[in-house]
Amino acid sequence: MAGAAADPREAAFQASIDAERSVEPRDWMPERYRATLIRQIAQHAHSEIIGMQPEGNWITRAPSLRRKAILLAKVQDEAGHGLYLYSAAETLGVSRSELVEMLQTGRQKYSSIFNYPTLTWADVGTIGWLVDGAAITNQLALTKTSYGPYARAMVRICREESFHQRQGFELLAQLSRGTPAQRAMAQDAVDRWWWPSLMMFGPPDGSSPNSAQSMKWKIKRVSNDELRQRFVDMTVPQAQALGLTLPDPELNWNESSGHYDFGPIDWDEFAKVLNGDGPCNAERIRVRREADSGGAWVREAARAWAAKHSHPAAGDAA
Amino acid sequence: MSTDVVAASDLQVYALYLGDDCLILSHRLAELAAHAPEFEEDVALSNLALDLLGQARALLTYAGVVEAAGRDEDALAYGRDDREFHNLLLVEQPNFDFAHTIVRQLFFASYQLALYRRLEHSQDLTLAAVAAKGAKEASYHRDHARLWTVRLGDGTKESHSRMEAAVGFLWPFTGELFQPDPITQRLVAAGIAADPAALEPVWRAQIDQTFAEAGLGHPVELGIRQGGRSGLHSEHLGHLLSEMQHLHRSHPNASW
Amino acid sequence: MKERGSWPLWEVFLRGRRGLAHQHVGSLHAPDWELAVQNARDLYTRRGEGVSIWVVESAVIHASDPDDGGPLFDPPADKVYRHPTFYEVPEDLKL
């Protein structure tokens, strides 16, 4: 960053950040701040959009009508949250078309957790409980992020998502006290999703290249490792309440630190999945591209119709 | 309530007619989650599916109550085979493309809105309550379908021809919407059901007006494919049910 | 880049309940105002957040320049006489 100090506006920008003033869309901002935010918000939005697929996979097979309604509403929320976030990214000067293109060509990433398959109904509950639990831990920290539109989107999303984790927990609780087959299904799902959930917070602080600058700009408020620890501390008692075992023999309460210790995370697997070699990477992008290209004629027709029909005023606003 | 003068079995089947329509169409719309032409439309289609699912649950629950044999909404949704489903053939037709989805929505929502507006005055208070709430939802569904029908019909050459193909495929199922059957007619006489034949003029006016705006045409005579109300379905329903019911049936006696 | 054919951007304003003014809640894409209203209803009122919707095409909004923030918004700071607390009146009178 040493070279960038040439712009005197940068010091004023940092001073404003340090004084806890929100950055708003038309403010001057360092190009790297803008680029970092676009990358992060877009990745967040893409995660919501791609995240619809693993759970959407079970909507048509939900085993009760109540569960079907809950799941449908949840997947719908994810589309909505993707939209709030795309809007926030667009205030930084990137268009919807560019964002979609970057997702579909792999130039921007989404959370690698969604490259794992949902194999049983219990995966739906486990995603709600663990994946949404991890996401909320991360998102709560982001409600105070320095960029105004991003922070406001986060506030709205956190408010709406509070039901997601609870429904996941409730779903698993039902399985856990259900038949032996249901119980086994729940444990199997937790075994598969636990480690990928811990990876959702990103690489350890020591090897997270962009973290320091993001913290300085207050885009990021809490470090990866600290958020991960918060999540583990919150989740272990919940697992006990569910009567399910988290698949980590090293998971232990540490009296002196006041936190749970946990075993080493397989960062090689994380890198592998992030770089495209997860079980579902190709499938997720294929489905997304298919929906987008399959809808091209609809988007075009609507634009053509709008061009043909210049609209009279909607009526008096009030 | 005049349910004491009508057979409970008639009322139960009628609730299934209406409830199965909602359940099956909701399933078709839910299949589109994450597959809509634009993210905003994904949210819209999910709303339609959720509205219909809510109506289905109320109606199936009521069918179970009237039957008084201990079957709840899930027993009825997951425990019946395709010959026991009473939905219209129209609602089980596959999505194929967005044009088919929209035309199916326009045909059904226009029908359901006319139906619910009559059923709001039913002597059966449960049906009247479901219809009163459902009419608001159906009205929105009709508007959603109408806006899209107009845009796609009068959009591009491709969208127009896709809409023509969808109308061509779905029109044969329109006659069944207004086809009287003995069960419904007995309930009409008792002031409980809406007379299907009486809904046709309202429906036709809506379709004609929308099609005129969209630059689309349709045959004069309604289609003649029917059988859904008596459990004679197209091949599509069996596949839909096998997907919907598989997990539930694989775990008899489990709670979810 | 190949044009994907996205729709224009619209800003959405909601009246939370009668008696309140419309407030900006976010934005969305739609091909025309009717679908923009419909999309706004589906996207921003899923939990009953509003009773009335305005949509405005983002492209037609004109905004003040944040660099003019000083000239535009600082001058009132010393005009304390515009605020009722500037005036001293007897405490026991309802003024």
Side-chain angles (χ1 to χ4, degrees), chain C residues 1-88:
Chain C
M1 192 189 69
K2 189 171 103 283
E3 183 44 59
R4 171 180 181 261
S6 295
W7 298 322
L9 188 65
W10 300 74
E11 300 301 321
V12 179
F13 300 80
L14 275 189
R15 186 198 292 289
R17 57 184 164 79
R18 300 183 71 82
L20 297 179
H22 287 77
Q23 276 209 339
H24 185 243
V25 291
S27 55
L28 51 73
H29 288 261
D32 57 74
W33 72 263
E34 283 177 295
L35 284 176
V37 169
Q38 193 170 275
N39 290 346
R41 179 263 192 195
D42 285 324
L43 183 57
Y44 288 103
T45 70
R46 298 199 299 290
R47 289 168 172 80
E49 295 94 332
V51 297
S52 166
I53 295 169
W54 286 352
V55 292
V56 181
E57 213 175 328
S58 310
V60 304
I61 292 181
H62 301 279
S64 60
D65 186 337
D67 290 344
D68 290 342
L72 285 174
F73 306 118
D74 287 350
D78 65 349
K79 299 183 178 59
V80 287
Y81 44 80
R82 286 199 205 272
H83 299 277
T85 47
F86 178 70
Y87 303 93
E88 274 187 36

Side-chain angles (χ1 to χ4, degrees), chain A:
Chain A
M1 269 318 287
D7 193 326
R9 288 175 296 187
E10 193 135 338
F13 178 81
Q14 187 63 50
S16 178
I17 297 263
D18 292 342
E20 299 290 336
R21 285 171 56 189
S22 289
V23 181
E24 293 295 342
R26 287 160 54 87
D27 292 342
W28 181 87
M29 62 188 85
E31 274 316 303
R32 277 198 55 215
Y33 177 85
R34 184 185 300 275
T36 301
L37 269 172
I38 289 177
R39 193 187 65 237
Q40 182 172 334
I41 300 173
Q43 180 170 326
H44 202 154
H46 299 331
S47 300
E48 297 279 358
I49 295 299
I50 295 294
M52 296 169 73
Q53 290 183 37
E55 290 177 277
N57 184 33
W58 282 93
I59 292 174
T60 55
R61 293 179 288 171
S64 76
L65 298 184
R66 174 173 174 269
R67 290 285 171 204
K68 195 203 262 287
I70 292 169
L71 183 57
L72 189 49
K74 178 173 188 266
V75 172
Q76 183 195 40
D77 269 354
E78 278 151 20
H81 297 168
L83 285 172
Y84 301 160
L85 288 160
Y86 280 136
S87 295
E90 282 185 85
T91 63
L92 291 159
V94 60
S95 72
R96 166 78 63 89
S97 294
E98 290 167 320
L99 290 163
V100 170
E101 184 75 9
M102 286 191 280
L103 166 62
Q104 292 177 178
T105 54
R107 276 188 293 146
Q108 285 176 340
K109 306 267 189 238
Y110 53 88
S111 180
S112 69
I113 191 101
F114 299 120
N115 290 318
Y116 292 89
T118 48
L119 301 177
T120 72
W121 172 249
D123 290 35
V124 171
T126 309
I127 288 183
W129 176 45
L130 293 179
V131 177
D132 287 286
I136 290 167
T137 305
N138 191 29
Q139 287 166 354
L140 275 174
L142 285 170
T143 56
K144 296 187 174 64
T145 190
S146 58
Y147 188 58
Y150 191 24
R152 291 192 285 276
M154 277 297 114
V155 168
R156 196 175 185 95
I157 288 171
C158 283
R159 200 165 53 215
E160 296 188 352
E161 277 197 355
S162 52
F163 99 80
H164 292 186
Q165 197 194 8
R166 296 174 73 122
Q167 66 82 29
F169 183 90
E170 188 210 63
L171 193 163
L172 282 180
Q174 184 89 40
L175 295 181
S176 179
R177 57 170 186 262
T179 65
Q182 286 178 306
R183 206 184 145 64
M185 194 190 278
Q187 184 60 56
D188 167 63
V190 170
D191 288 346
R192 283 182 286 112
W193 290 93
W194 171 248
W195 289 107
S197 302
L198 293 189
M199 295 175 194
M200 283 177 70
F201 297 95
D205 296 346
S207 50
S208 180
N210 304 317
S211 274
Q213 183 60 62
S214 282
M215 296 281 278
K216 187 159 177 248
W217 276 330
K218 300 190 195 288
I219 293 174
K220 216 173 152 51
R221 290 284 187 157
V222 187
S223 81
N224 294 354
D225 285 333
E226 193 181 336
L227 288 168
R228 186 163 19 241
Q229 186 67 56
R230 272 187 204 175
F231 173 68
V232 171
D233 291 347
M234 175 184 82
T235 307
V236 173
Q238 294 171 358
Q240 286 162 354
L242 285 170
L244 296 170
T245 309
L246 297 172
D248 178 1
E250 296 179 45
L251 198 59
N252 270 309
W253 175 251
N254 182 327
E255 198 65 55
S256 62
S257 69
H259 294 289
Y260 283 93
D261 293 335
F262 51 94
I265 292 170
D266 183 354
W267 291 112
D268 290 342
E269 171 173 328
F270 177 73
K272 195 183 73 168
V273 176
L274 194 65
N275 291 323
D277 288 330
C280 298
N281 298 58
E283 175 63 7
R284 300 291 183 241
I285 292 298
R286 183 192 68 74
V287 168
R288 181 86 285 289
R289 281 192 189 142
E290 194 175 272
D292 205 62
S293 61
W297 69 269
V298 177
R299 295 192 300 274
E300 190 195 346
R303 284 189 312 158
W305 186 87
K308 270 190 261 184
H309 299 80
S310 62
H311 283 87
D316 291 341

Side-chain angles (χ1 to χ4, degrees), chain B residues 6-14 66 183:
Chain B
V6 303
S9 59
D10 280 359
L11 185 56
Q12 186 230 353
V13 171
Y14 187 66
V66 173
I183 290 172

Side-chain angles (χ1 to χ4, degrees), chain B residues 125-139:
Chain B
L125 298 183
T126 304
L127 290 180
V130 170
K133 179 171 182 295
K136 291 178 198 161
E137 295 169 343
S139 170

Side-chain angles (χ1 to χ4, degrees), chain B residues 12 15 57 62 76 99 122 140 155 179 195 222 228 249:
Chain B
Q12 186 230 353
R57 294 180 66 189
Y62 186 48
L76 287 165
S122 170
Y140 184 75
Q179 194 65 41
D195 183 0
L222 292 179
R249 290 196 181 200

